[in-house]
Amino acid sequence: MSDLTLTKLDSTQTDFNQQLDRLLAWEAVSDDKVNQIVNEILHRVKTEGDAAVLEYTERFDRCPAETMSALEMSQERLQQSLANLPADQRKALEVAAQRVTDYHERQKSDSWRYTEADGTMLGQQVTPMDKVGLYVPGGKAAYPSSVLMNALPAKVAGVKEIIMVVPTPGGEVNELVLAAAALSGVDRVFCIGGAQAVAALAYGTETVPKVDKIVGPGNIFVATAKRAVFGAVGIDMIAGPSEILVVCDGQTDPDWVAMDLFSQAEHDEDAQPILVSPDSDFIAAVEASINKLLPTMERKAIIEPSMVNRAALIKVRDMDEACEVSNRIAPEHLELSVADPESLLPKIRHAGAIFMGRYTAEALGDYCAGPNHVLPTSGTARFSSPLGVYDFQKRSSLIMFSAEGASEMGKVASVLARGESLTAHARSAEYRIK
């Protein structure tokens, strides 16, 4: 087998920035055909409810059902999945769930208020959402870890009802996903998927409740549907392919780094694994490890196109420049595989999650570290954060003026309102001036 042809970049090249831009270019654009199909599905589910969902579930997932109740999993069925899990799987799921819960407990915001000298009270009331919809991919691409990461922060936030949708193509049920739903306290589970499931959650049907927000990953039809229903409901994010950027000083075992790159490449042919190092000998060693280890990988058919088309080995002048390149990329997952990661941390401004030190494999973050694995992709870490408890809480401003405060601030409001020619505003405030 011949060695892979991998993209190698050097920051001293005059066209380095253009080459990096080309490498990073990713347009998760739904074409007109996808948009057209999704819009039709959304319209039919909105107007026809359960009947449309049943028809699409039979057509796309080969799951015929007479009624929606036939597609709902009972709590007993979920608990049965949990009870029947092999002991090692149940233990792993429970440990991960506890760690994710413990981490997210620390994110909770509490209501607050303060009182001014004249007795005026100002503050903020923090309340959970009532209902949240959780989309979970089904069939072979089933991720119980996604159930934990999406449902547990909502539970910690105090969301009253979590509705999970998961397709079961050809009747294929993933017991681990159902067990994770039982463990996470999911309230209702419907075996539906695709744009029709997103529509059912966004608009409500005779059986599926309308939710306040939809979270969770899915294919291009799911992502397009989520984008289209945003406004009718909240959504978490439109996620692109997975990414990992490893910044290394050249002292980590090259096999470790190669496997860390593979860990994201195996998700998707479009996933993007990148190594940044000032040590050209180390880059060559990692390249040799990639070629040595690739033939041993079960998901080689997915990893190889990701490595050939989207990966890069980037040589930089020093660790400061490595941090600059990382900030430019704003990766979903950033590994600081160096002797002293704390020294680099102040230089990192944009990353979804930062894995510090040689022993902190990104894979630990996917399952059981505790922080959320739902992270901003495609450079959106410049303005977005990981999914968290705060995504399931709302904030309402609290304002209560005393008579004295209303009189004093009424004068200020009056001047500003008249400056905007909004005289009803002005007079409403003026009524309260002593």
Side-chain angles (χ1 to χ4, degrees), residues 17-230:
N17 287 330
Q18 292 91 315
Q19 287 196 54
L20 189 56
D21 284 342
R22 272 198 298 277
L23 178 78
L24 298 175
W26 170 258
E27 290 297 328
V29 174
S30 313
D31 62 28
D32 289 343
K33 183 123 189 288
V34 171
N35 281 316
Q36 197 178 332
I37 292 166
V38 167
N39 287 337
E40 183 195 324
I41 292 170
L42 296 180
H43 174 72
R44 285 202 52 204
V45 173
K46 189 175 186 178
T47 53
E48 299 170 37
D50 284 350
V53 177
L54 288 166
E55 183 191 318
Y56 286 126
T57 301
E58 181 169 1
R59 191 198 306 180
F60 297 136
D61 289 332
R62 310 177 306 288
C63 273
E66 293 296 315
T67 63
M68 282 297 290
S69 58
L71 293 174
E72 184 169 3
M73 290 276 184
S74 67
Q75 281 295 327
E76 292 73 30
R77 177 69 179 83
L78 302 184
Q79 292 300 330
Q80 183 191 327
S81 293
L82 185 58
N84 293 344
L85 275 190
D88 61 335
Q89 285 191 352
R90 176 158 184 165
K91 175 78 173 141
L93 212 52
E94 286 173 344
V95 168
Q98 191 57 58
R99 292 183 63 84
V100 172
T101 300
D102 290 347
Y103 180 87
H104 287 82
E105 287 280 1
R106 291 168 165 79
Q107 289 183 342
K108 271 174 88 169
S109 295
D110 295 317
S111 302
W112 53 268
R113 57 176 65 191
Y114 63 93
T115 305
E116 297 181 325
D118 63 14
T120 294
M121 183 277 288
L122 301 171
Q124 195 171 71
Q125 178 165 291
V126 180
T127 52
M129 293 175 185
D130 287 343
K131 284 189 176 71
V132 166
L134 165 52
Y135 190 98
V136 178
K140 289 187 172 62
Y143 299 115
S145 57
S146 283
V147 179
L148 302 183
M149 295 290 180
N150 284 275
L152 290 172
K155 274 288 168 195
V156 170
V159 171
K160 293 186 183 69
E161 194 174 10
I162 300 175
I163 318 295
M164 185 171 115
V165 293
V166 55
T168 50
E172 184 177 353
V173 174
N174 187 290
E175 297 295 333
L176 205 49
V177 161
L178 298 185
L183 199 59
S184 305
V186 170
D187 296 284
R188 297 179 74 181
V189 175
F190 292 95
C191 296
I192 56 176
Q196 60 274 22
V198 174
L201 292 170
Y203 305 127
T205 70
E206 298 90 329
T207 312
V208 181
K210 174 177 165 39
V211 300
D212 303 312
K213 189 166 195 170
I214 301 172
V215 299
N219 63 18
I220 187 70
F221 292 96
V222 171
T224 304
K226 279 172 69 178
R227 181 182 274 131
V229 299
F230 176 64

